[in-house]
Amino acid sequence: MERLQKVIAQSGVTSRRKAEELIREGKVKVNGNVVTELGTKVGTKDKIEVNEIQIQREQPVYFLMYKPSGVITAVSDDKGRKVVADYFKDIIEQRVFPVGRLDYDTTGVIIMTNDGEFANVLMHPRYQLDKVYIAKVKGIPSRERIKQLERGIRLEDGMTAPAKVKVTSIDKKKGTAIIELTIHEGKNRQVKRMLEAIGTPVMKLKRERYGYLDLKGLNPGEFRELTPHEIKQLRNLAVTQTSKKSRR
């Protein structure tokens, strides 16, 4: 038996928090009866409806994928372009979706799941999981420009949180540099916009690490299932990061 809001979130319909709101508003039924009690527990045979639509209960699955360039981070695309969900269609029964997003031309770590609650934990701003990016940029940033990134950059949608920055290599002849950037936010095109703001536009971008997960053993387009230990560690890491930052 599991809590009703958790089961709804795991179905991918909505987040756990939103599920709780729907329960309070009387928009959830269990076996035909409206339920408004958040402590309600349900079993595998119970019929659950949200806004008069029965949810599809699937066994939760979790994957780590190496997203290639030229692929949309979505479950479908109205222009017919390839999406990350296409890689799973003929392999698993469950319908998975990406946690967060990477740009069309950005490669690297992305998590795929059908567990809405888990996705919400990883994406919610307060959990602040670190994400490590490797960027090849045009131009060689000065120390002062690097400090700007470390302090936070003002973008059109607000100030970014301080980033960890390391210039790993410089090619003076070509006028390029490789920068490792660690952030915990997820603003749209954030890394590209941050680097553009200091005068070093991105030529190539890869997300190297998500939390403690990396791409070891995977080639672009490949994926592997997360272990129960990894899933638990991700949840614990999110809570730990939140606790650390709230004490600062």
Side-chain angles (χ1 to χ4, degrees):
M1 302 288 284
E2 292 186 293
R3 289 183 179 272
L4 178 57
Q5 57 264 42
K6 181 179 180 181
V7 173
I8 293 172
Q10 286 179 336
S11 74
V13 171
T14 188
S15 68
R16 185 165 181 167
R17 185 176 179 181
K18 181 61 178 177
E20 291 175 348
E21 292 177 12
L22 293 171
I23 293 170
R24 292 192 194 98
E25 293 169 0
K27 295 180 179 179
V28 176
K29 291 181 180 179
V30 176
N31 300 324
N33 300 312
V34 174
V35 174
T36 56
E37 175 58 55
L38 293 182
T40 300
K41 291 191 175 183
V42 293
T44 55
K45 295 182 180 180
D46 288 314
K47 176 185 174 184
I48 302 168
E49 295 172 86
V50 177
N51 289 324
E52 303 298 332
I53 299 174
Q54 185 174 347
I55 68 170
Q56 300 299 313
R57 301 177 66 180
E58 299 177 331
Q59 183 68 24
V61 290
Y62 312 86
F63 295 94
L64 171 66
M65 180 181 182
Y66 188 159
K67 177 195 169 298
S69 178
V71 177
I72 304 292
T73 307
V75 296
S76 63
D77 181 62
D78 57 9
K79 297 179 181 177
R81 293 172 295 182
K82 194 173 186 66
V83 298
V84 289
D86 289 340
Y87 289 83
F88 299 81
K89 282 183 178 177
D90 300 322
I91 299 173
I92 62 172
E93 295 179 359
Q94 295 89 337
R95 299 164 299 170
V96 293
F97 55 86
V99 177
R101 68 184 303 277
L102 290 176
D103 289 343
Y104 182 74
D105 57 349
T106 299
T107 65
V109 176
I110 194 156
I111 294 173
M112 302 287 293
T113 185
N114 60 348
D115 185 340
E117 180 198 12
F118 179 74
N120 187 56
V121 167
L122 297 188
M123 289 191 294
H124 198 288
R126 78 171 183 266
Y127 294 115
Q128 303 182 334
L129 282 173
D130 283 344
K131 295 175 275 284
V132 180
Y133 292 82
I134 304 296
K136 181 179 181 180
V137 301
K138 185 177 181 180
I140 299 172
S142 65
R143 181 57 198 155
E144 181 51 40
R145 292 296 194 180
I146 294 298
K147 286 181 178 178
Q148 282 183 264
L149 295 173
E150 293 173 337
R151 291 192 296 264
I153 295 286
R154 183 167 297 282
L155 303 175
E156 58 268 27
D157 52 352
M159 196 78 176
T160 67
K164 295 177 184 175
V165 188
K166 182 191 296 182
V167 179
T168 60
S169 69
I170 291 173
D171 188 329
K172 291 183 178 179
K173 186 177 291 186
K174 294 182 178 179
T176 62
I178 304 295
I179 299 175
E180 180 181 291
L181 193 70
T182 303
I183 62 173
H184 60 256
E185 299 167 297
K187 297 179 188 290
N188 185 39
R189 297 183 66 254
Q190 181 173 339
V191 172
K192 290 181 179 178
R193 290 190 294 145
M194 290 174 71
L195 291 168
E196 285 170 5
I198 66 165
T200 51
V202 170
M203 301 170 68
K204 193 173 181 180
L205 184 62
K206 176 183 180 183
R207 183 155 71 187
E208 189 78 12
R209 200 164 71 243
Y210 191 111
Y212 68 94
L213 297 173
D214 59 32
L215 296 165
K216 186 176 180 181
L218 294 178
N219 295 312
E222 294 182 342
F223 58 86
R224 68 171 179 81
E225 197 162 2
L226 293 178
T227 67
H229 177 69
E230 287 174 328
I231 296 163
K232 183 179 179 181
Q233 287 293 94
L234 274 177
R235 291 183 187 274
N236 290 343
L237 181 60
V239 173
T240 302
Q241 292 289 84
T242 304
S243 177
K244 282 181 180 178
K245 290 179 173 70
S246 66
R247 289 197 300 266
R248 290 176 184 173

